[in-house]
Amino acid sequence: MTPFRLLAAAVLLGLATGASASSLVGTTDTLVNALQASSDALSDVTSSLRDDKVIRAARDDAASFVASDGAIRGAHLEAALRLLRDRAPALAASDLQLAEALLVR
């Protein structure tokens, strides 16, 4: 192989590696920003309900739900999930994410 071809191959390889790294950084930034926005929205909803009786009553049920990976669904948790979804209909969070947020608050 001639030195020119070796140099051309090395340059092309370097450009391809740089493009992949840039693409990975862009994708990672997009995912992190989306997760942060979702987390902030969930935090806002649950923190505004911190003193709500329904939410406080659901904490034990939420703990059981999270610990059982969604197998145990208590009545208090169901009421709290309905309340959260009624107050924030645009919130795109799973029941498990909401239960975890109830435990953190």
Side-chain angles (χ1 to χ4, degrees):
M1 199 175 246
T2 66
F4 176 74
R5 285 188 178 186
L6 284 175
L7 180 61
V11 168
L12 287 175
L13 182 62
L15 290 174
T17 304
S20 295
S22 296
S23 177
L24 177 65
V25 169
T27 302
T28 303
D29 287 347
T30 301
L31 288 174
V32 168
N33 290 340
L35 287 173
Q36 181 65 38
S38 179
S39 174
D40 289 345
L42 184 59
S43 178
D44 290 345
V45 169
T46 56
S47 66
S48 68
L49 298 170
R50 187 176 311 151
D51 295 326
D52 194 303
K53 290 179 186 179
V54 174
I55 300 299
R56 284 185 295 180
R59 288 183 64 91
D60 287 341
D61 283 357
S64 297
F65 182 76
V66 171
S68 69
D69 199 29
I72 300 172
R73 298 179 72 97
H76 293 290
L77 176 63
E78 290 296 331
L81 292 175
R82 273 193 308 275
L83 178 68
L84 290 171
R85 298 213 188 278
D86 287 345
R87 289 195 180 171
L91 184 63
S94 69
D95 289 349
L96 188 59
Q97 289 171 322
L98 290 174
E100 289 171 344
L102 291 175
L103 292 174
V104 172
R105 295 285 161 201

